[in-house]
Amino acid sequence: MQVFTIPVTPFMQNCRVIVCPETQTAAIVDPGGEPEKIISQLNTLGLVPSMILLTHAHLDHVGASTALSEHFNIEIIGPHQDDQFWLDALPMQSQMFGFPNHAAFLPSQWLKGGDNICLGNLELEVRHCPGHTPGHVVFYEPSSKQVLVGDVLFKGSVGRTDFPKGDATELKQSIEDKLFTLPDEVIVHSGHGENTSIGFEKATNPFMSGRFG
């Protein structure tokens, strides 16, 4: 699986474009804003996306979803339905995050743990990882050993749990059960910041070792 990163908005959120190298089938993961920038990058790459995938429903991860869905005439898929309250609250989120007003929307399809998403010849495994938000999911591609984790896990850190329905205990359990059970060499694509690996975070992440949090 090829992964291209497009940092967007003042939050420097990592919008990802994932591609099946054999078929050139592409998907946009977590388009947090600046749809024109994302469209321009896709044109430069010569890619036409077939879907939009969302890990969770915070505005800085979904802010360009409806604009891109309409532009490319593609479906929005995910996250888990437990994040619907965040999508319903997008106008409130706009004020909270200082973004332009954004209307509420619903995806074409909710996801749950154990689902699989076909992208060309690739198959993404959906893992439900609540804690940062109750409906957060991650996307694992086993053949290339890569996982897109949104705001669950970062290099040297973990997702915030001080937003409504966040749960620090649940987040740590999600990381232990759904991420740290993956092979150590799996590359972790986080929603903000640089990439890391499962093995590195298992060995060094202070929030998971008990040194912090």
Side-chain angles (χ1 to χ4, degrees):
M1 179 175 71
Q2 296 174 295
V3 181
F4 300 96
T5 304
I6 308 170
V8 294
T9 81
F11 286 85
M12 294 302 290
Q13 183 266 326
N14 291 325
C15 171
R16 310 283 187 173
V17 177
I18 58 174
V19 185
C20 170
E22 295 176 357
T23 66
Q24 291 298 290
T25 308
I28 307 168
V29 182
D30 285 359
E34 299 185 89
E36 299 85 0
K37 181 178 181 180
I38 297 169
I39 292 166
S40 176
Q41 288 289 328
L42 285 163
N43 289 339
T44 299
L45 294 167
L47 296 170
V48 178
S50 61
M51 67 185 81
I52 296 167
L53 301 174
L54 301 179
T55 62
H56 66 294
H58 282 161
L59 178 57
D60 65 319
H61 285 253
V62 309
S65 298
T66 52
L68 293 171
S69 173
E70 292 168 3
H71 180 84
F72 291 108
N73 192 28
I74 54 177
E75 293 187 339
I76 300 170
I77 299 173
H80 187 285
Q81 192 166 6
D82 284 353
D83 262 16
Q84 181 174 342
F85 79 103
W86 274 120
L87 292 175
D88 292 341
L90 278 170
M92 177 273 292
Q93 288 197 65
S94 302
Q95 293 184 334
M96 184 170 72
F97 288 119
F99 276 51
N101 185 56
H102 195 297
F105 71 90
L106 293 177
S108 303
Q109 175 188 340
W110 298 108
L111 294 171
K112 61 183 185 299
D115 286 346
N116 291 283
I117 297 168
C118 291
L119 183 70
N121 294 333
L122 302 177
E123 193 166 271
L124 303 173
E125 297 178 7
V126 177
R127 298 184 174 212
H128 183 206
C129 293
H132 178 64
T133 69
H136 203 304
V137 297
V138 305
F139 302 105
Y140 175 51
E141 203 292 291
S143 69
S144 63
K145 294 186 176 177
Q146 300 183 81
V147 62
L148 297 107
V149 301
D151 285 358
V152 172
L153 182 67
F154 303 105
K155 186 172 184 178
S157 188
V158 298
R160 292 175 59 171
T161 56
D162 56 335
F163 291 124
K165 298 189 181 180
D167 188 310
T169 300
E170 196 171 43
L171 178 68
K172 290 183 178 181
Q173 198 65 54
S174 291
I175 294 169
E176 289 282 4
D177 295 347
K178 306 295 175 57
L179 294 179
F180 281 2
T181 52
L182 297 173
D184 284 353
E185 61 269 29
V186 169
I187 298 299
V188 176
H189 299 276
S190 300
H192 305 266
E194 59 187 301
N195 293 348
T196 183
S197 71
I198 293 295
F200 184 83
E201 296 310 312
K202 284 168 66 175
T204 66
N205 191 297
F207 292 87
M208 296 305 296
S209 67
R211 281 178 282 160
F212 293 104

